[in-house]
Amino acid sequence: SRPACKERVFSSTMDAYPLILSLPRADTARSALGIRHTAYVLEVDDCGRTYTRHRRYTNFLWLHRELRRRELACTLPELPPKKAIGCMKPDFVDRRRQLLEGYLQALLRLSAVVLDDALWAFLDADLATAIVPRFLCRPPSHTDTFDCLTQLAKVVAQEANVFRLCNKAVLSNLATFVQAESVEAAFHAPLQVQPALQARLGSRMRLCSIIRSLLAHERARQGLVEVGMF
């Protein structure tokens, strides 16, 4: 059997990060052949910046099957089942909308799903939207941390993306990471094997680049002070 992912550990982090997925309504649409179907309005609130997409039930089914196919190290939430008859009735559509919204919100609390590409493809999200949650849900290894920090440094280097890091969840995580690195450097550095040591040194360089970019923005600078970075 597959090991369960550390849902409780990562859910609190993602709960504090302002990325919100919702399905505020469902519209009736017609295909090119004139066949009626339900299109769920997917609203993605990315740290205060919102965009919408339309998704059919088949899109949710693709996402669920794709995540199952990848055999992620976590237990996926249940997807509302298909229904052939009565699927256009208003009561059914609204109930399914609520269940699908809960399904997406549950996925966002699973680190293995956040780290996978399938969710972000479903959301039609750009790289910057995905990188910060992936940093928050990063695996504990030095190599994985280095990879996440490398991507994060690229994101924050563009001024238009800094707003995603100006929240307490991210800044506190950065401050905690700095503190953990300083302790590990003092007591465990001599025991590190060469590849891991190289990854750690690379992570510190990326971290310095990220902090330097954040210090150039007043809101981020004030946030770093509030979380005890300085």
Side-chain angles (χ1 to χ4, degrees), residues 62-122:
W62 170 86
L63 173 61
H64 192 69
R65 288 175 174 172
E66 189 68 15
L67 292 173
R68 290 184 61 186
R69 183 183 67 83
R70 300 185 186 207
E71 297 185 346
L72 303 178
C74 63
T75 302
L76 296 173
E78 292 187 11
L79 181 72
K82 296 178 64 174
K83 183 176 182 180
I85 300 176
C87 62
M88 298 297 294
K89 292 182 178 180
D91 290 346
F92 173 79
V93 169
D94 189 62
R95 177 57 179 163
R96 175 182 271 182
R97 177 191 62 79
Q98 296 176 43
L99 292 173
L100 290 174
E101 181 177 87
Y103 171 78
L104 288 179
Q105 293 171 352
L107 288 181
L108 199 58
R109 305 178 82 227
L110 298 175
S111 60
V113 174
V114 172
L115 293 169
D116 193 81
D117 291 334
L119 175 64
W120 307 107
F122 170 84

Side-chain angles (χ1 to χ4, degrees), residues 29-51:
R30 291 185 180 274
S31 67
L33 298 177
I35 300 174
R36 295 171 65 240
H37 64 268
T38 299
Y40 297 93
V41 178
L42 168 63
E43 185 175 281
V44 181
D45 185 338
D46 181 10
C47 301
R49 298 190 182 183
T50 303
Y51 67 87

